[in-house]
Amino acid sequence: MDKDKKIAVLIDADNVSDKYIKYIIDEISNHGVPTYKRIYGDWTKPQLTPWKSVLLNYSITPIQQYSYTTGKNSSDAALIIDAMDILYSNNVDGFCIVSSDSDFTRLAARLREAGMSVIGMGEKKTPTPFISACEKFKYLEVLASMASTPTEAASVKEAQRQEESKATMTSVDKLIEVIRTIITEVSDEDGWAFLGDLGNILNKRYPDFDTRNYGYTKLTPFVASLKRFEIRSTRTSNPSISLKHIRNKE
């Protein structure tokens, strides 16, 4: 089961704020068990001081990496080396790389070549190449907004709307077009496709696809909100489980 996956969580402290740590750990628990929790940075720098107060609470091991040359981020190299050491130890099933830096694009691609599941987490400023290299990518602002109080969530969503033109995530109009195409490709003779298959294909084509990016916690209400598709629910022998299918509206 996915929840039993052992995941190495590697955090780039120079490119992630400490305010996201709770949401990072909570999200990882939805995908597996974090067996390694390491964070990389030059801890002599004053800008990393806020991180120090949360590391003990979440049992995260800080890795000290001095900046040998001005303008060069040596902690990136330390994270990459550790990731490869962990890969060859055969102790994990996947990795979570937390950074908004494109320097980890090749690392994510290499880990996936080795058969590892790779989850990326970063802010919306994260370059597209790193997002595409991950199997799944989660926006930290979205994770934080979904866990906020209603008032906080409303203010965050408003800010997200204002920044939508700058965000790298796929637009709703583009998703509608893609969903229509997927349904056509995988539907039966009557045009119905299994909603679960749609979700899996969307995640494979767009690693950053997450219904929470658009204000919904589940796929069904998100697709229903688009007003372009029919959704059918079929009961199973288990009264608590129903199968959902979708097709394009005429």
Side-chain angles (χ1 to χ4, degrees), residues 229-248:
F229 308 99
E230 296 180 51
I231 299 177
R232 181 184 69 187
S233 182
T234 305
R235 292 183 178 277
T236 66
S237 56
N238 187 334
S240 62
I241 298 177
S242 61
L243 299 179
K244 291 181 171 57
H245 294 78
I246 183 174
R247 74 177 177 183
N248 295 318

Side-chain angles (χ1 to χ4, degrees), residues 14-15 100 122-128 131 139 141 166-168:
D14 293 317
N15 282 287
S100 301
E123 296 180 336
K124 289 188 177 180
K125 65 182 180 181
T126 305
T128 301
I131 295 173
Y139 292 110
E141 298 96 329
K166 301 178 184 179
T168 56

Side-chain angles (χ1 to χ4, degrees), residues 88-145:
Y88 291 124
S89 73
N90 294 318
N91 288 330
V92 299
D93 304 301
F95 288 79
C96 176
I97 302 172
V98 187
S99 179
S100 301
D101 193 340
S102 62
D103 287 350
F104 298 109
T105 300
R106 182 66 188 108
L107 172 63
R110 176 64 183 85
L111 293 173
R112 292 191 67 187
E113 288 173 357
M116 291 286 108
S117 170
V118 179
I119 301 170
M121 294 189 191
E123 296 180 336
K124 289 188 177 180
K125 65 182 180 181
T126 305
T128 301
F130 178 46
I131 295 173
S132 300
C134 298
E135 181 179 349
K136 297 178 181 178
F137 190 89
K138 308 295 180 180
Y139 292 110
L140 294 174
E141 298 96 329
V142 173
L143 297 181
S145 70

Side-chain angles (χ1 to χ4, degrees), residues 67-83:
S67 299
Y68 299 113
T69 305
T70 302
K72 297 293 184 181
N73 190 351
S74 56
S75 61
D76 288 4
L79 189 156
I80 292 170
I81 292 170
D82 272 9

